[in-house]
Amino acid sequence: MKKLGDLIDAYKSLSMIGMCKNAGKTTVFNQLIRELNDKNEVFAITSIGRDGESSDLVTGTKKPGIYVKAGTVIATTDQLLKWCDITREILAATGISTPMGQVIVLRALSDGNIQLAGPSMNDQLITVSEIFRSFGAGRVLIDGAISRKTLCSRKVTEATVLCTGASYNKNIHTVVDHTAYFCEILGAPPVKNEKVAEAIWTFKGDKGVKVLLVADNGDSMALSSASGLSEALYKKENEPFKFIFINGALSDGILKPILISNVPMKGRTIVVSDSSKILLTAPVYEKIGIKGASLCVMDQIHLAAVTINPFSAYGYDFDKDEFMELMSAKVDIPVINVEDREVYD
């Protein structure tokens, strides 16, 4: 039987994000820690929020602690060191400030419970990951936050695990459908036309370019504002521009004027940097396909697994077998109930 650790074995860095609070994210985090310990790996951990405390400071619900073995490399804040009962070696002071103090990198010299609170900005997480590796960590685990899709960017981590559960909604079908949509967005396919990709990379860093229209042969036309997109797509001379790169976030506000108009979209492809930039509601996303268009990314996110938690923090639970069956039928990636150690491909 597959373990969660087997699903992420190919990736040197992994983030965990949740569909909601109490989705079981910390439980998944702890399971990965145990499995990596069983493999005698040297790994590093941090969190973009606060983790390891006994109860959630917002909801008051009970939270699982975080227990580490000697040798684990950790990034947390200096203010939380008093809540870590491990013997430790301070490896680096990062200079990164958070509401809970400066982020400190340390190595556990004994087994024990810890509390985590690392940096929240992507560039800071990249810096901390580099520090981790300089001290011998072969794998990096980052405990993320609710719907924090930007953490999934491959600039930060190579792969992501999405955690979902009964706490998201009382209706099991709503949980499954919304999780499946989130998975579809995260798994948006990459641009396959090399000439198109090369043209986009050329302009991607130019903040003055908001939209880039690109033809199959790599010819392009830059727009300084998305407001001129509809007009540009209407023009017959611009028909060869089949790829529409949005330089930044892709929101309903950008696409709605196009999708509800007579702008010719059949055969066209909307492109964004990565799926963390896709901020579309499900109805607007569905209209892309209805209009005959498609959506892809420059840098594809790797979603390694979906984990499910059938237990709600709000007084109701799902049948775990039904939850597993419905979710595994809706998504095309492995689904795991960590408490049961069951994996469905």
Side-chain angles (χ1 to χ4, degrees):
M1 181 178 291
K2 289 181 182 178
K3 293 183 178 181
L4 182 57
D6 296 331
L7 300 176
I8 61 99
D9 195 54
Y11 308 110
K12 295 303 181 184
S13 56
L14 183 81
S15 57
M16 277 138 281
I17 60 173
M19 290 287 293
C20 60
K21 281 186 172 294
N22 303 297
K25 187 162 50 62
T26 304
T27 300
V28 173
F29 195 63
N30 282 329
Q31 179 62 22
L32 281 171
I33 289 173
R34 286 192 292 270
E35 291 185 20
L36 293 179
N37 281 326
D38 289 343
K39 295 179 179 180
N40 295 314
E41 283 198 26
V42 178
F43 61 94
I45 60 174
T46 192
S47 171
I48 67 170
R50 184 174 180 178
D51 282 297
E53 72 274 37
S54 59
S55 63
D56 191 285
L57 298 178
V58 177
T59 65
T61 53
K62 186 178 179 181
K63 291 185 65 174
I66 296 176
Y67 189 84
V68 300
K69 294 283 190 179
T72 307
V73 182
I74 301 157
T76 191
T77 62
D78 51 11
Q79 291 182 19
L80 292 186
L81 291 179
K82 62 185 176 182
W83 303 109
C84 301
D85 62 13
I86 56 172
T87 304
R88 55 192 175 260
E89 173 191 5
I90 303 297
L91 301 176
T94 66
I96 297 171
S97 297
T98 78
M100 284 174 279
Q102 182 185 185
V103 177
I104 303 295
V105 177
L106 56 100
R107 191 190 310 274
L109 300 180
S110 66
D111 302 351
N113 293 293
I114 62 167
Q115 287 197 23
L116 292 177
S120 60
M121 304 295 290
N122 282 5
D123 57 346
Q124 295 172 342
L125 288 165
I126 293 169
T127 297
V128 169
S129 294
E130 291 170 351
I131 295 172
F132 281 156
R133 292 189 176 91
S134 73
F135 288 105
R139 199 184 306 270
V140 175
L141 304 181
I142 301 177
D143 196 355
I146 301 171
S147 300
R148 173 71 184 274
K149 288 197 295 183
T150 57
L151 183 61
C152 304
S153 169
R154 286 207 299 170
K155 292 179 181 178
V156 183
T157 56
E158 293 181 2
T160 297
V161 170
L162 176 63
C163 307
T164 189
S167 292
Y168 181 82
N169 192 281
K170 288 184 178 181
N171 189 311
I172 191 171
H173 297 286
T174 297
V175 177
V176 170
D177 289 345
H178 288 197
T179 302
Y181 172 66
F182 206 83
C183 289
E184 187 169 355
I185 290 296
L186 287 178
V191 174
K192 295 181 179 179
N193 186 311
E194 293 183 2
K195 291 183 178 179
V196 171
E198 184 179 351
I200 292 174
W201 283 121
T202 300
F203 283 90
K204 187 174 178 297
D206 188 342
K207 294 182 179 180
V209 176
K210 298 302 180 184
V211 178
L212 189 72
L213 303 181
V214 188
D216 285 332
N217 63 2
D219 289 347
S220 63
M221 181 175 73
L223 303 177
S224 60
S225 172
S227 61
L229 180 56
S230 293
E231 182 182 353
L233 294 176
Y234 261 125
K235 294 180 179 178
K236 190 172 183 63
E237 63 266 30
N238 291 334
E239 282 184 3
F241 296 116
K242 297 299 185 183
F243 293 85
I244 307 163
F245 174 66
I246 307 298
N247 198 6
L250 178 63
S251 64
D252 285 5
I254 291 175
L255 283 192
K256 268 186 176 180
I258 301 169
L259 297 176
I260 64 176
S261 70
N262 293 322
V263 172
M265 291 296 293
K266 187 175 182 180
R268 281 186 156 132
T269 301
I270 301 161
V271 186
V272 292
S273 296
D274 61 61
S275 55
S276 71
K277 304 294 186 184
I278 303 172
L279 308 179
L280 302 175
T281 59
V284 173
Y285 175 75
E286 289 170 3
K287 281 186 175 66
I288 295 174
I290 292 171
K291 296 284 283 188
S294 59
L295 181 63
C296 66
V297 297
M298 293 295 293
D299 193 9
Q300 185 179 30
I301 285 171
H302 294 303
L303 192 57
V306 172
T307 67
I308 59 171
N309 177 15
F311 305 107
S312 165
Y314 307 112
Y316 62 89
D317 300 326
F318 294 160
D319 179 273
K320 66 181 182 67
D321 294 325
E322 180 187 15
F323 197 17
M324 176 67 81
E325 183 179 353
L326 289 172
M327 189 65 72
S328 59
K330 271 280 188 177
V331 301
D332 58 1
I333 56 174
V335 180
I336 180 170
N337 181 341
V338 177
E339 295 292 351
D340 279 356
R341 313 294 194 267
E342 294 179 355
V343 176
Y344 283 48
D345 288 315

